[in-house]
């Protein structure tokens, strides 16, 4: 599992994934529409809404004049390309782009003989944005929480998970691992966290959670190698919240009527990563608190 295509490798999380894999000896090809600000691997410009382009990118069958490409067909595909959030473009554009590109990547990868696909689902499938008027069913929120997409973006991710389940059923022996990523942060983002501490409602929308891009990359690497056949999904967040106040106190103030299941200690994440820990062996290595000093 050393030859990897990463779609969206020029994006915030994708850059961290490419760097993480390259530093560990993987051959990585970034498929994107724009160059990366951290060009650690070759890039191929591909419009993922065009199936012919995606199919061509999945397997190189030409001559020798492709010096940047280190492999013909990847061992696995990491699919992170998407319009990355609601309200960046019109709802229909976001939904259509994300659904078509996900279908094209999944289908082309399978046709090329790829058996493992790791892809970016989203925390938003679980009902975000949470608020006192739209609370979670319980906390910490885990993978059994009801799916409640509230936008074209989150609906595209929800349906992407269903697409993965059905395509895995059609292709026995294949694996689709969906990572329900929390709000992706880079080190430079941590300077903003201080401004949130006196306003717990400002980050209530995702239960004060986040994912360091480097830990996101670690989760991807573990998903590439986990012994798993079929389709499954995992919440990927950091072990702590974005707040300095205890998580139990935040729940009591903002969501007093939401059941809290089990003991919540200190600033523990309220998007549960227990399944990712148990199945993937994922354990966050970074925290904004260390950057804060």
């Amino acid at each position: 599992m050393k030859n990897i295509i990463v779609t969206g490798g020029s994006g915030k999380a994708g850059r961290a994934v490419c760097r993480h894999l390259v530093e560990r000896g993987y051959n990585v090809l970034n498929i994107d529409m724009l160059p990366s600000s951290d060009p650690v691997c070759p890039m191929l410009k591909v419009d993922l809404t065009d199936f012919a382009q995606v199919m061509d990118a999945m397997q190189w069958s030409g001559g020798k004049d492709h010096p940047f490409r280190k492999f013909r067909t990847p061992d696995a595909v990491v699919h992170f390309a998407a319009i990355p959030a609601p309200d960046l473009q019109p709802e229909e554009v976001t939904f259509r782009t994300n659904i078509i590109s996900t279908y094209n990547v999944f289908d082309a990868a399978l046709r090329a003989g790829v058996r493992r696909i790791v892809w970016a689902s989203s925390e938003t499938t679980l009902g975000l944005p949470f608020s006192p008027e739209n609370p979670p069913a319980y906390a910490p929120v885990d993978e059994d929480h009801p799916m409640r997409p509230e936008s074209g973006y989150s609906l595209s991710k929800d349906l992407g998970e269903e697409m993965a389940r059905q395509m895995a059923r059609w292709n026995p022996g294949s694996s689709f691992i969906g990572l329900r990523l929390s709000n992706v942060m880079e080190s430079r983002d941590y300077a903003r966290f201080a401004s949130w501490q006196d306003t717990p409602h400002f980050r209530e929308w995702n239960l004060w959670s986040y994912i360091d891009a480097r830990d996101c990359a670690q989760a991807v690497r573990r998903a590439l190698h986990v012994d798993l056949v079929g389709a499954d999904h995992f919440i990927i967040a950091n072990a702590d919240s974005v707040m300095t106040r205890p998580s139990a106190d935040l729940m009591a103030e903002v969501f007093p009527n939401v059941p809290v299941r089990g003991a919540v200690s200190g600033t523990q994440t309220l998007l549960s990563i227990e399944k990712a820990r148990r199945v993937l062996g994922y354990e966050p290595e970074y925290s904004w608190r260390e950057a804060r000093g």
Side-chain angles (χ1 to χ4, degrees), residues 8 30 37 45 48 64 74 87 89 107 123 136 148 153 166 185 197 203 210 246 260 269 271 275:
N30 171 23
S37 60
K45 183 177 179 180
L48 295 179
K64 298 178 181 179
D87 297 329
Q89 296 195 41
D107 189 54
E123 63 183 0
R148 298 191 329 225
Y153 169 79
Q166 298 307 328
M185 299 289 181
Q197 301 309 314
R203 295 286 301 190
Y210 75 108
V260 175
T269 179
L271 291 183
K275 182 180 177 183

Short mmCIF file of all heavy atoms in Angstrom, two decimals, residues 8 30 37 45 48 64 74 87 89 107 123 136 148 153 166 185 197 203 210 246 260 269 271 275:
data_model
loop_
_atom_site.label_atom_id
_atom_site.label_comp_id
_atom_site.label_asym_id
_atom_site.label_seq_id
_atom_site.Cartn_x
_atom_site.Cartn_y
_atom_site.Cartn_z
N GLY A 8 -7.67 16.29 -4.18
CA GLY A 8 -7.76 17.44 -3.28
C GLY A 8 -6.51 17.63 -2.43
O GLY A 8 -6.57 18.21 -1.35
N ASN A 30 -0.88 13.91 -6.37
CA ASN A 30 -1.96 14.83 -6.02
C ASN A 30 -2.79 15.12 -7.25
O ASN A 30 -2.27 15.56 -8.28
CB ASN A 30 -1.35 16.11 -5.45
CG ASN A 30 -2.38 17.22 -5.25
OD1 ASN A 30 -3.57 16.97 -5.12
ND2 ASN A 30 -1.91 18.46 -5.21
N SER A 37 0.22 24.79 -2.22
CA SER A 37 1.18 25.74 -1.65
C SER A 37 2.32 25.01 -0.96
O SER A 37 3.30 25.64 -0.54
CB SER A 37 0.46 26.65 -0.64
OG SER A 37 -0.11 25.88 0.42
N LYS A 45 -3.50 18.00 -12.96
CA LYS A 45 -4.72 18.81 -12.98
C LYS A 45 -5.85 18.00 -13.59
O LYS A 45 -5.79 17.60 -14.76
CB LYS A 45 -4.50 20.09 -13.77
CG LYS A 45 -5.71 21.02 -13.77
CD LYS A 45 -5.40 22.31 -14.52
CE LYS A 45 -6.63 23.22 -14.53
NZ LYS A 45 -6.36 24.49 -15.26
N LEU A 48 -12.63 16.61 -11.54
CA LEU A 48 -13.23 15.37 -11.05
C LEU A 48 -14.70 15.23 -11.39
O LEU A 48 -15.27 14.15 -11.19
CB LEU A 48 -13.04 15.27 -9.53
CG LEU A 48 -11.59 15.14 -9.05
CD1 LEU A 48 -11.54 15.07 -7.52
CD2 LEU A 48 -10.90 13.93 -9.65
N LYS A 64 6.81 6.14 -21.97
CA LYS A 64 7.76 6.44 -20.92
C LYS A 64 7.85 7.93 -20.61
O LYS A 64 8.60 8.33 -19.71
CB LYS A 64 9.14 5.92 -21.31
CG LYS A 64 9.18 4.41 -21.48
CD LYS A 64 10.56 3.94 -21.91
CE LYS A 64 10.57 2.42 -22.10
NZ LYS A 64 11.91 1.93 -22.53
N PRO A 74 -2.81 3.16 -8.72
CA PRO A 74 -2.54 3.28 -7.28
C PRO A 74 -2.96 2.03 -6.51
O PRO A 74 -3.84 1.27 -6.93
CB PRO A 74 -3.39 4.49 -6.87
CG PRO A 74 -4.53 4.48 -7.84
CD PRO A 74 -3.92 4.02 -9.15
N ASP A 87 -22.15 27.16 2.07
CA ASP A 87 -22.20 28.62 1.87
C ASP A 87 -21.00 29.20 1.15
O ASP A 87 -20.84 30.42 1.11
CB ASP A 87 -22.41 29.35 3.21
CG ASP A 87 -23.74 29.00 3.86
OD1 ASP A 87 -24.69 28.73 3.11
OD2 ASP A 87 -23.81 28.97 5.10
N GLN A 89 -20.47 28.28 -2.11
CA GLN A 89 -21.08 28.41 -3.42
C GLN A 89 -22.57 28.10 -3.27
O GLN A 89 -23.00 27.60 -2.23
CB GLN A 89 -20.41 27.46 -4.43
CG GLN A 89 -18.94 27.78 -4.68
CD GLN A 89 -18.40 27.09 -5.90
OE1 GLN A 89 -19.06 26.99 -6.93
NE2 GLN A 89 -17.16 26.60 -5.80
N ASP A 107 -16.10 5.17 -8.62
CA ASP A 107 -16.32 4.24 -9.73
C ASP A 107 -15.05 4.04 -10.55
O ASP A 107 -14.70 2.90 -10.90
CB ASP A 107 -17.45 4.77 -10.61
CG ASP A 107 -17.88 3.76 -11.67
OD1 ASP A 107 -18.20 2.62 -11.29
OD2 ASP A 107 -17.88 4.10 -12.87
N GLU A 123 -18.26 15.83 9.86
CA GLU A 123 -19.01 15.96 11.10
C GLU A 123 -20.40 16.55 10.85
O GLU A 123 -21.33 16.33 11.64
CB GLU A 123 -18.26 16.86 12.08
CG GLU A 123 -18.09 18.28 11.58
CD GLU A 123 -17.29 19.19 12.50
OE1 GLU A 123 -16.84 18.74 13.57
OE2 GLU A 123 -17.11 20.38 12.15
N PRO A 136 -27.84 18.31 19.82
CA PRO A 136 -27.56 16.90 19.52
C PRO A 136 -28.49 16.01 20.34
O PRO A 136 -29.05 16.43 21.36
CB PRO A 136 -26.10 16.73 19.95
CG PRO A 136 -25.90 17.77 21.01
CD PRO A 136 -26.74 18.94 20.60
N ARG A 148 -28.37 13.74 10.38
CA ARG A 148 -29.31 14.85 10.18
C ARG A 148 -28.66 15.93 9.32
O ARG A 148 -28.38 17.02 9.80
CB ARG A 148 -29.74 15.44 11.53
CG ARG A 148 -30.47 14.48 12.43
CD ARG A 148 -31.13 15.13 13.64
NE ARG A 148 -30.47 16.29 14.16
CZ ARG A 148 -30.25 16.53 15.47
NH1 ARG A 148 -30.62 15.62 16.37
NH2 ARG A 148 -29.67 17.63 15.88
N TYR A 153 -24.33 20.66 1.30
CA TYR A 153 -22.99 20.12 1.57
C TYR A 153 -23.08 18.86 2.42
O TYR A 153 -22.54 17.81 2.05
CB TYR A 153 -22.14 21.17 2.28
CG TYR A 153 -20.84 20.61 2.81
CD1 TYR A 153 -19.76 20.40 1.97
CD2 TYR A 153 -20.71 20.26 4.16
CE1 TYR A 153 -18.57 19.87 2.44
CE2 TYR A 153 -19.53 19.73 4.64
CZ TYR A 153 -18.47 19.53 3.78
OH TYR A 153 -17.31 19.00 4.25
N GLN A 166 -23.10 0.93 -0.84
CA GLN A 166 -23.64 0.16 -1.97
C GLN A 166 -22.52 -0.28 -2.92
O GLN A 166 -22.53 -1.42 -3.42
CB GLN A 166 -24.70 0.98 -2.71
CG GLN A 166 -25.90 1.35 -1.85
CD GLN A 166 -26.54 0.16 -1.17
OE1 GLN A 166 -26.55 -0.96 -1.70
NE2 GLN A 166 -27.09 0.37 0.02
N MET A 185 -7.93 22.31 11.30
CA MET A 185 -7.10 23.44 11.73
C MET A 185 -5.63 23.16 11.43
O MET A 185 -5.16 22.03 11.59
CB MET A 185 -7.26 23.68 13.24
CG MET A 185 -8.66 24.01 13.68
SD MET A 185 -9.15 25.68 13.16
CE MET A 185 -10.81 25.75 13.87
N GLN A 197 -12.79 32.11 23.97
CA GLN A 197 -12.92 31.55 25.31
C GLN A 197 -14.05 32.17 26.15
O GLN A 197 -14.61 31.50 27.01
CB GLN A 197 -11.59 31.65 26.05
CG GLN A 197 -10.44 30.92 25.35
CD GLN A 197 -10.79 29.48 24.99
OE1 GLN A 197 -11.33 28.74 25.81
NE2 GLN A 197 -10.49 29.08 23.75
N ARG A 203 -18.74 28.64 19.32
CA ARG A 203 -18.32 27.36 18.74
C ARG A 203 -19.24 26.20 19.17
O ARG A 203 -18.86 25.04 19.05
CB ARG A 203 -16.88 27.05 19.15
CG ARG A 203 -15.85 28.01 18.60
CD ARG A 203 -15.58 27.84 17.14
NE ARG A 203 -15.10 26.51 16.80
CZ ARG A 203 -14.61 26.16 15.62
NH1 ARG A 203 -14.54 27.05 14.65
NH2 ARG A 203 -14.20 24.94 15.40
N TYR A 210 -12.49 20.12 16.96
CA TYR A 210 -11.60 20.46 15.85
C TYR A 210 -10.75 19.25 15.53
O TYR A 210 -10.72 18.27 16.28
CB TYR A 210 -10.71 21.65 16.21
CG TYR A 210 -9.57 21.33 17.16
CD1 TYR A 210 -8.25 21.29 16.73
CD2 TYR A 210 -9.81 21.05 18.52
CE1 TYR A 210 -7.20 20.99 17.60
CE2 TYR A 210 -8.77 20.77 19.39
CZ TYR A 210 -7.47 20.73 18.94
OH TYR A 210 -6.44 20.44 19.80
N PRO A 246 -14.04 23.24 31.12
CA PRO A 246 -14.38 21.81 31.03
C PRO A 246 -15.56 21.57 30.11
O PRO A 246 -16.54 22.34 30.10
CB PRO A 246 -14.68 21.44 32.48
CG PRO A 246 -13.96 22.44 33.30
CD PRO A 246 -14.01 23.72 32.52
N VAL A 260 -25.81 13.56 28.76
CA VAL A 260 -24.37 13.32 28.65
C VAL A 260 -24.12 11.88 29.07
O VAL A 260 -24.42 11.50 30.21
CB VAL A 260 -23.56 14.30 29.51
CG1 VAL A 260 -22.08 13.95 29.45
CG2 VAL A 260 -23.80 15.74 29.03
N THR A 269 -12.95 15.93 24.07
CA THR A 269 -13.79 16.16 22.90
C THR A 269 -15.20 15.62 23.11
O THR A 269 -15.40 14.56 23.71
CB THR A 269 -13.18 15.52 21.64
OG1 THR A 269 -14.06 15.75 20.53
CG2 THR A 269 -12.98 14.02 21.80
N LEU A 271 -17.09 15.16 20.36
CA LEU A 271 -17.28 14.30 19.20
C LEU A 271 -16.42 13.07 19.47
O LEU A 271 -15.19 13.12 19.37
CB LEU A 271 -16.84 14.98 17.90
CG LEU A 271 -17.69 16.15 17.41
CD1 LEU A 271 -17.16 16.66 16.07
CD2 LEU A 271 -19.16 15.77 17.28
N LYS A 275 -14.35 5.00 18.63
CA LYS A 275 -14.37 3.99 17.57
C LYS A 275 -13.10 4.07 16.73
O LYS A 275 -12.51 3.04 16.38
CB LYS A 275 -15.61 4.16 16.69
CG LYS A 275 -15.73 3.11 15.59
CD LYS A 275 -16.97 3.31 14.74
CE LYS A 275 -17.05 2.32 13.60
NZ LYS A 275 -18.23 2.54 12.72
#
